[in-house]
Amino acid sequence: MKTLLLMLGAAVLVGCQPAELTAPHPVNQTPAFNQFFQALAQHCGQAYPGGLTLEPEGDEMLTGTELLIVHFRECSDDQLKLPFHIELEASQSWDRSRTWIISRHADGLELRHDHRKADGSDDNTTMYGGFTVGEGSVITQQFQSVPRTEESGYFRGWRIEIEPGVRYTYGTVRGDNWSWRIDFDLSKPLAELPPPPWGHD
């Protein structure tokens, strides 16, 4: 009888042991700017059509009817080069002077504007830009122009948005609002890629 009780007690103790603990699923700690960069990189090797959607009164850089093209042309692990081609309707030619350069650093992203003349030399104003401010999101990142912000007293810079396979948006911002904006349709890759931008092989 004593032996039976000991066996029953052991069985009860075994049944009361806590269940084996398992490690929780790891939380995705990839910074938003890295996910944003990877979303852009998904489109490497493709070019897409777009157009002007917003410009300040008096701005005459674009007419609003020309074709705009973004080409995700040069891609590495930490840098993307996106030429921006502008159709010149009057002369039936193209302005291929601009390339957006987005670089990834340990703590955020950097945007630069590479502007060239038709002969490939640097434009008078080139390589201006800034770094991301705040966390941003996997869809939206803002880049601050420190000189323009200091001059105006409120945030000024650039905003880029990416919805893979749907939309790529680039523009300038003042405070919280777009001041100039262009949108590209990522659902319609061009069958024929544009030639290199000026100054690039």
Side-chain angles (χ1 to χ4, degrees), residues 5-23:
L5 289 174
L6 287 173
M7 291 176 63
L8 288 174
V12 170
L13 287 173
V14 170
C16 292
Q17 294 300 311
E20 183 179 349
L21 296 177
T22 57

Side-chain angles (χ1 to χ4, degrees), residues 32-140:
F33 73 85
N34 275 330
Q35 297 178 64
F36 176 90
F37 185 91
Q38 291 160 5
L40 291 172
Q42 290 181 32
H43 299 280
C44 286
Q46 299 287 344
Y48 302 90
L52 177 70
T53 51
L54 176 68
E55 69 176 349
E57 185 176 351
D59 190 315
E60 298 180 352
M61 177 182 166
L62 300 174
T63 65
T65 58
E66 67 272 86
L67 174 63
L68 307 177
I69 294 175
V70 61
H71 184 189
F72 292 74
R73 184 172 184 266
E74 295 183 48
C75 306
S76 67
D77 289 344
D78 293 308
Q79 190 172 82
L80 307 173
K81 292 185 178 181
L82 284 58
F84 169 41
H85 302 269
I86 303 171
E87 179 188 19
L88 303 176
E89 296 168 301
S91 60
Q92 296 187 336
S93 60
W94 287 85
D95 179 341
R96 306 189 191 279
S97 64
R98 295 167 167 80
T99 299
W100 298 312
I101 302 176
I102 301 169
S103 301
R104 176 165 58 174
H105 303 286
D107 56 353
L109 303 177
E110 176 184 6
L111 171 67
R112 294 290 159 189
H113 300 76
D114 182 352
H115 286 200
R116 305 291 184 96
K117 298 177 182 178
D119 64 4
S121 61
D122 287 345
D123 200 341
N124 296 332
T125 302
T126 187
M127 298 310 290
Y128 59 90
F131 294 85
T132 46
V133 175
E135 240 180 87
S137 73
V138 298
I139 294 175
T140 303

